[in-house]
Amino acid sequence: EEFELGVVGVSAPVYDFKQRVVAAFNVSAPKQRFGRHLDQAGQLAAKVARDFSVALGASPGPSRA
């Protein structure tokens, strides 16, 4: 609820082949519907960002997204 009361979100960085952050993957939703699943959503956001990163040539290692 950092920017808007009642809205929560998760995000993860997307890296390019030079291991630079070039984008971010973000999902937000009303806390009432999303709040109990925030950890799960964070893990999924990290996986999606990691997949995007690998597609851009980034290392798939654990330090990435």
Side-chain angles (χ1 to χ4, degrees):
E1 297 180 88
E2 184 175 345
F3 295 110
E4 188 172 339
L5 188 62
V7 177
V8 295
V10 295
S11 60
V14 176
Y15 297 88
D16 69 3
F17 65 98
K18 291 185 177 182
Q19 309 309 332
R20 297 177 300 189
V21 175
V22 294
F25 180 79
N26 176 276
V27 178
S28 59
K31 184 178 181 180
Q32 176 179 349
R33 289 190 280 161
F34 201 28
R36 291 181 299 213
H37 306 287
L38 209 52
D39 287 338
Q40 185 180 6
Q43 292 172 9
L44 183 57
K47 181 191 179 317
V48 170
R50 187 170 33 255
D51 291 348
F52 275 123
S53 297
V54 170
L56 293 174
S59 167
S63 65
R64 295 289 159 234

XYZ file of all heavy atoms in Angstrom:
486
model
N 0.825 -1.188 0.000
C 0.000 0.000 0.000
C 0.871 1.255 0.000
O 0.521 2.254 0.573
C -0.922 -0.024 1.214
C -1.902 -1.179 1.208
C -2.815 -1.195 2.408
O -3.866 -0.545 2.322
O -2.441 -1.835 3.407
N 1.986 1.169 -0.673
C 2.946 2.268 -0.682
C 2.433 3.505 -1.408
O 2.644 4.626 -0.961
C 4.243 1.792 -1.330
C 5.342 2.812 -1.317
C 6.648 2.272 -1.864
O 6.793 1.050 -2.003
O 7.515 3.088 -2.148
N 1.746 3.315 -2.529
C 1.306 4.457 -3.322
C -0.193 4.703 -3.274
O -0.648 5.811 -3.503
C 1.738 4.291 -4.784
C 3.223 4.313 -4.955
C 3.904 3.163 -5.297
C 3.953 5.469 -4.759
C 5.283 3.172 -5.442
C 5.319 5.498 -4.891
C 5.992 4.339 -5.237
N -0.967 3.667 -3.027
C -2.413 3.822 -2.990
C -2.995 2.899 -1.917
O -2.744 1.693 -1.915
C -3.018 3.476 -4.352
C -4.489 3.801 -4.446
C -5.036 3.644 -5.846
O -4.261 3.662 -6.819
O -6.256 3.484 -5.963
N -3.764 3.473 -1.031
C -4.372 2.723 0.050
C -5.246 1.599 -0.502
O -6.058 1.817 -1.400
C -5.222 3.661 0.915
C -5.771 3.072 2.204
C -4.632 2.644 3.122
C -6.643 4.093 2.905
N -5.021 0.378 -0.007
C -5.820 -0.760 -0.420
C -5.295 -1.501 -1.628
O -5.878 -2.493 -2.059
N -4.160 -1.047 -2.198
C -3.579 -1.712 -3.365
C -2.174 -2.202 -3.005
O -1.371 -1.456 -2.457
C -3.493 -0.760 -4.581
C -2.810 -1.445 -5.757
C -4.887 -0.302 -4.977
N -1.899 -3.477 -3.286
C -0.586 -4.058 -3.032
C -0.037 -4.625 -4.338
O -0.781 -4.846 -5.286
C -0.643 -5.165 -1.958
C -1.043 -4.592 -0.609
C -1.598 -6.279 -2.371
N 1.260 -4.870 -4.365
C 1.845 -5.407 -5.576
C 3.185 -6.065 -5.332
O 3.751 -5.983 -4.238
N 3.646 -6.743 -6.367
C 4.960 -7.384 -6.354
C 5.658 -7.020 -7.657
O 5.013 -6.740 -8.667
C 4.857 -8.919 -6.232
C 4.247 -9.312 -4.895
C 4.035 -9.525 -7.361
N 6.984 -7.015 -7.633
C 7.733 -6.737 -8.851
C 9.074 -7.446 -8.789
O 9.539 -7.838 -7.713
C 7.927 -5.234 -9.051
O 8.638 -4.685 -7.967
N 9.678 -7.607 -9.952
C 10.988 -8.247 -10.048
C 11.720 -7.665 -11.249
O 11.107 -7.352 -12.271
C 10.822 -9.757 -10.207
N 13.043 -7.529 -11.145
C 13.823 -6.950 -12.244
C 14.011 -7.928 -13.397
O 14.068 -9.140 -13.206
C 15.165 -6.625 -11.585
C 15.278 -7.626 -10.490
C 13.871 -7.833 -9.986
N 14.133 -7.373 -14.596
C 14.444 -8.139 -15.801
C 15.829 -7.675 -16.258
O 16.075 -6.477 -16.379
C 13.402 -7.898 -16.915
C 13.799 -8.621 -18.196
C 12.015 -8.330 -16.445
N 16.725 -8.639 -16.512
C 18.107 -8.354 -16.895
C 18.346 -8.667 -18.363
O 17.697 -9.544 -18.927
C 19.071 -9.201 -16.061
C 19.018 -8.906 -14.588
C 18.112 -9.558 -13.759
C 19.874 -7.975 -14.021
C 18.066 -9.294 -12.402
C 19.829 -7.698 -12.662
C 18.928 -8.363 -11.862
O 18.879 -8.093 -10.523
N 19.333 -7.986 -18.953
C 19.723 -8.293 -20.329
C 20.984 -9.157 -20.325
O 21.459 -9.583 -19.267
C 19.908 -7.022 -21.155
C 21.112 -6.177 -20.763
O 21.894 -6.573 -19.866
O 21.289 -5.108 -21.368
N 21.545 -9.386 -21.499
C 22.713 -10.257 -21.636
C 23.964 -9.698 -20.968
O 24.915 -10.433 -20.710
C 22.988 -10.550 -23.123
C 23.388 -9.343 -23.913
C 24.719 -9.086 -24.173
C 22.425 -8.465 -24.402
C 25.088 -7.972 -24.916
C 22.782 -7.358 -25.141
C 24.117 -7.106 -25.395
N 23.978 -8.405 -20.674
C 25.098 -7.797 -19.953
C 24.830 -7.726 -18.451
O 25.552 -7.065 -17.721
C 25.384 -6.400 -20.496
C 25.962 -6.412 -21.897
C 26.344 -5.013 -22.319
C 26.984 -5.034 -23.690
N 27.396 -3.691 -24.105
N 23.768 -8.402 -18.008
C 23.360 -8.448 -16.602
C 22.956 -7.065 -16.076
O 23.067 -6.790 -14.886
C 24.460 -9.065 -15.718
C 24.997 -10.393 -16.202
C 23.931 -11.444 -16.507
O 22.860 -11.460 -15.941
N 24.247 -12.336 -17.419
N 22.444 -6.212 -16.978
C 21.922 -4.900 -16.586
C 20.412 -4.992 -16.450
O 19.745 -5.679 -17.223
C 22.248 -3.843 -17.643
C 23.722 -3.602 -17.853
C 23.932 -2.609 -18.952
N 23.337 -3.165 -20.188
C 23.482 -2.643 -21.386
N 24.184 -1.536 -21.549
N 22.928 -3.189 -22.449
N 19.869 -4.278 -15.490
C 18.417 -4.227 -15.351
C 17.876 -3.369 -16.490
O 18.283 -2.217 -16.659
C 17.990 -3.630 -13.989
C 16.488 -3.475 -13.909
C 18.495 -4.505 -12.849
N 16.971 -3.957 -17.282
C 16.418 -3.246 -18.433
C 14.903 -3.072 -18.349
O 14.311 -2.356 -19.154
C 16.789 -3.945 -19.757
C 18.293 -3.879 -19.995
C 16.298 -5.381 -19.781
N 14.286 -3.733 -17.389
C 12.829 -3.644 -17.235
C 12.461 -4.223 -15.877
O 13.313 -4.725 -15.144
C 12.120 -4.413 -18.344
N 11.182 -4.146 -15.577
C 10.672 -4.780 -14.359
C 9.314 -5.388 -14.675
O 8.546 -4.856 -15.481
C 10.532 -3.764 -13.236
N 9.058 -6.513 -14.042
C 7.756 -7.166 -14.149
C 7.003 -6.823 -12.876
O 7.524 -6.977 -11.776
C 7.933 -8.682 -14.282
C 6.636 -9.414 -14.403
C 5.959 -9.458 -15.612
C 6.068 -10.038 -13.309
C 4.744 -10.113 -15.728
C 4.858 -10.693 -13.414
C 4.195 -10.732 -14.628
N 5.779 -6.304 -13.002
C 5.007 -5.861 -11.850
C 3.556 -6.305 -11.973
O 2.989 -6.284 -13.067
C 5.065 -4.328 -11.758
C 4.206 -3.802 -10.641
O 3.009 -3.623 -10.806
N 4.806 -3.569 -9.505
N 2.995 -6.699 -10.843
C 1.572 -7.043 -10.765
C 1.020 -6.378 -9.507
O 1.625 -6.463 -8.436
C 1.353 -8.570 -10.667
C -0.117 -8.905 -10.549
C 1.968 -9.286 -11.854
N -0.119 -5.720 -9.632
C -0.761 -5.132 -8.463
C -2.247 -5.446 -8.496
O -2.819 -5.712 -9.553
C -0.532 -3.619 -8.411
O -1.048 -3.005 -9.568
N -2.844 -5.416 -7.307
C -4.269 -5.742 -7.177
C -4.768 -5.245 -5.828
O -3.971 -4.912 -4.946
C -4.486 -7.252 -7.283
N -6.078 -5.199 -5.647
C -6.614 -4.811 -4.350
C -6.128 -5.758 -3.247
O -6.089 -6.978 -3.436
C -8.134 -4.940 -4.528
C -8.356 -4.814 -5.995
C -7.152 -5.447 -6.627
N -5.731 -5.189 -2.134
C -5.226 -5.983 -1.016
C -6.242 -7.028 -0.568
O -5.876 -8.146 -0.198
C -4.865 -5.064 0.147
C -4.256 -5.776 1.317
C -3.877 -4.805 2.415
C -3.247 -5.523 3.579
N -2.884 -4.586 4.639
N -7.476 -6.697 -0.610
C -8.552 -7.587 -0.181
C -8.519 -8.924 -0.946
O -8.805 -9.963 -0.397
C -9.887 -6.879 -0.398
C -11.113 -7.663 -0.107
C -12.354 -6.811 -0.358
O -12.283 -5.603 -0.543
N -13.504 -7.449 -0.372
N -8.159 -8.887 -2.219
C -8.121 -10.113 -3.023
C -6.726 -10.709 -3.147
O -6.573 -11.905 -3.339
C -8.644 -9.839 -4.439
C -10.130 -9.607 -4.462
C -10.640 -9.592 -5.865
N -10.384 -8.290 -6.459
C -10.380 -8.053 -7.756
N -10.606 -9.016 -8.606
N -10.159 -6.847 -8.207
N -5.696 -9.899 -3.033
C -4.333 -10.302 -3.340
C -3.486 -10.535 -2.089
O -2.518 -11.296 -2.126
C -3.715 -9.193 -4.182
C -2.537 -9.565 -5.020
C -2.343 -10.834 -5.512
C -1.610 -8.597 -5.353
C -1.267 -11.141 -6.309
C -0.529 -8.887 -6.155
C -0.353 -10.156 -6.635
N -3.857 -9.902 -0.993
C -3.029 -9.864 0.203
C -2.571 -11.206 0.737
O -1.407 -11.383 1.072
N -3.463 -12.172 0.805
C -3.102 -13.486 1.360
C -2.183 -14.265 0.428
O -1.568 -15.239 0.847
C -4.348 -14.311 1.636
C -5.186 -13.771 2.776
C -6.368 -14.650 2.995
N -7.166 -14.653 1.751
C -8.472 -14.750 1.709
N -9.150 -14.867 2.803
N -9.109 -14.735 0.563
N -2.095 -13.873 -0.809
C -1.296 -14.594 -1.803
C -0.067 -13.802 -2.241
O 0.539 -14.119 -3.266
C -2.162 -14.916 -3.025
C -3.414 -15.636 -2.683
N -3.431 -16.956 -2.300
C -4.696 -15.213 -2.633
C -4.682 -17.330 -2.045
N -5.461 -16.280 -2.240
N 0.301 -12.803 -1.475
C 1.394 -11.915 -1.870
C 2.719 -12.656 -2.024
O 3.446 -12.439 -2.999
C 1.519 -10.773 -0.870
C 2.064 -9.455 -1.381
C 1.335 -8.969 -2.613
C 2.012 -8.407 -0.295
N 3.057 -13.540 -1.087
C 4.308 -14.298 -1.196
C 4.308 -15.176 -2.446
O 5.292 -15.230 -3.186
C 4.541 -15.163 0.041
C 4.940 -14.354 1.253
O 5.430 -13.220 1.089
O 4.774 -14.870 2.371
N 3.216 -15.853 -2.686
C 3.089 -16.708 -3.866
C 3.196 -15.867 -5.142
O 3.870 -16.262 -6.102
C 1.751 -17.445 -3.817
C 1.540 -18.447 -4.910
C 0.182 -19.138 -4.772
O -0.638 -18.791 -3.927
N -0.051 -20.114 -5.613
N 2.564 -14.726 -5.151
C 2.631 -13.839 -6.325
C 4.053 -13.333 -6.528
O 4.518 -13.210 -7.665
C 1.669 -12.670 -6.152
N 4.750 -13.044 -5.445
C 6.143 -12.605 -5.543
C 7.029 -13.664 -6.157
O 7.891 -13.373 -6.997
N 6.821 -14.908 -5.758
C 7.602 -16.009 -6.326
C 7.311 -16.170 -7.817
O 8.219 -16.392 -8.620
C 7.308 -17.304 -5.581
C 7.828 -17.303 -4.162
C 7.361 -18.515 -3.367
O 6.770 -19.449 -3.900
N 7.634 -18.503 -2.068
N 6.053 -16.049 -8.188
C 5.684 -16.164 -9.593
C 6.237 -14.991 -10.409
O 6.747 -15.181 -11.516
C 4.167 -16.251 -9.745
C 3.647 -16.458 -11.167
C 4.242 -17.707 -11.797
C 2.126 -16.533 -11.159
N 6.180 -13.791 -9.851
C 6.742 -12.622 -10.541
C 8.240 -12.805 -10.760
O 8.752 -12.486 -11.844
C 6.469 -11.347 -9.738
N 8.939 -13.331 -9.758
C 10.379 -13.576 -9.889
C 10.657 -14.594 -10.987
O 11.582 -14.437 -11.781
C 10.959 -14.044 -8.561
N 9.843 -15.639 -11.075
C 10.027 -16.660 -12.108
C 9.791 -16.070 -13.502
O 10.566 -16.308 -14.429
C 9.108 -17.846 -11.889
C 9.304 -18.940 -12.930
C 8.225 -19.990 -12.889
C 8.412 -21.069 -13.939
N 8.802 -20.620 -15.258
N 8.724 -15.298 -13.649
C 8.431 -14.684 -14.952
C 9.560 -13.734 -15.355
O 10.035 -13.763 -16.495
C 7.069 -13.955 -14.919
C 6.867 -13.110 -16.166
C 5.939 -14.969 -14.762
N 10.024 -12.914 -14.425
C 11.118 -11.984 -14.716
C 12.389 -12.751 -15.075
O 13.121 -12.361 -15.988
C 11.362 -11.066 -13.528
N 12.653 -13.849 -14.373
C 13.824 -14.672 -14.676
C 13.714 -15.264 -16.091
O 14.674 -15.270 -16.854
C 13.978 -15.776 -13.626
C 15.251 -16.576 -13.737
C 15.508 -17.516 -12.550
N 14.320 -18.082 -11.944
C 13.799 -17.707 -10.764
N 14.358 -16.742 -10.064
N 12.716 -18.289 -10.292
N 12.523 -15.744 -16.450
C 12.311 -16.297 -17.794
C 12.530 -15.232 -18.868
O 13.156 -15.497 -19.896
C 10.910 -16.902 -17.918
C 10.733 -18.170 -17.100
O 11.740 -18.731 -16.600
O 9.570 -18.600 -16.939
N 12.005 -14.027 -18.646
C 12.243 -12.922 -19.583
C 13.737 -12.630 -19.688
O 14.270 -12.428 -20.773
C 11.525 -11.644 -19.144
C 10.100 -11.531 -19.583
C 9.100 -11.350 -18.652
C 9.753 -11.575 -20.922
C 7.772 -11.232 -19.037
C 8.428 -11.458 -21.330
C 7.440 -11.286 -20.376
N 14.413 -12.603 -18.540
C 15.845 -12.319 -18.507
C 16.628 -13.342 -19.323
O 17.503 -12.980 -20.117
C 16.344 -12.306 -17.056
O 15.733 -11.283 -16.309
N 16.322 -14.603 -19.121
C 17.010 -15.661 -19.864
C 16.750 -15.507 -21.357
O 17.661 -15.672 -22.181
C 16.589 -17.058 -19.341
C 17.092 -18.162 -20.256
C 17.107 -17.267 -17.923
N 15.527 -15.152 -21.723
C 15.212 -14.933 -23.135
C 16.020 -13.774 -23.718
O 16.318 -13.766 -24.919
C 13.723 -14.657 -23.307
N 16.421 -12.839 -22.873
C 17.248 -11.714 -23.312
C 18.738 -12.017 -23.223
O 19.574 -11.154 -23.481
C 16.934 -10.467 -22.480
C 15.539 -9.880 -22.675
C 15.303 -8.740 -21.679
C 15.349 -9.401 -24.103
N 19.084 -13.237 -22.805
C 20.473 -13.659 -22.753
C 21.133 -13.547 -21.398
O 22.336 -13.758 -21.262
N 20.367 -13.237 -20.375
C 20.941 -13.125 -19.030
C 21.247 -14.509 -18.468
O 20.654 -15.513 -18.872
C 19.962 -12.411 -18.098
N 22.140 -14.529 -17.512
C 22.456 -15.761 -16.806
C 21.254 -16.206 -15.988
O 20.632 -15.385 -15.316
C 23.646 -15.519 -15.877
O 23.798 -16.580 -14.974
N 20.911 -17.497 -16.018
C 19.739 -17.967 -15.265
C 20.014 -18.216 -13.786
O 19.200 -18.775 -13.083
C 19.371 -19.274 -15.974
C 20.667 -19.768 -16.499
C 21.457 -18.530 -16.868
N 21.167 -17.805 -13.290
C 21.577 -18.079 -11.921
C 20.619 -17.529 -10.875
O 19.766 -16.686 -11.163
N 20.773 -17.985 -9.626
C 19.869 -17.592 -8.541
C 19.915 -16.115 -8.188
O 18.984 -15.595 -7.613
C 20.331 -18.439 -7.358
C 21.724 -18.828 -7.678
C 21.815 -18.878 -9.192
N 20.996 -15.407 -8.558
C 21.072 -13.971 -8.245
C 20.253 -13.136 -9.213
O 20.121 -11.938 -9.044
C 22.531 -13.520 -8.271
O 23.054 -13.630 -9.579
N 19.705 -13.755 -10.226
C 18.916 -13.037 -11.208
C 17.454 -13.171 -10.893
O 16.894 -14.259 -10.910
C 19.190 -13.580 -12.623
C 20.581 -13.347 -13.079
C 20.738 -11.855 -13.350
N 22.115 -11.491 -13.311
C 22.583 -10.524 -12.539
N 21.831 -9.842 -11.739
N 23.853 -10.232 -12.563
N 16.815 -12.021 -10.617
C 15.365 -11.900 -10.350
C 14.966 -12.919 -9.343
O 13.946 -13.459 -9.249
C 14.575 -11.990 -11.625
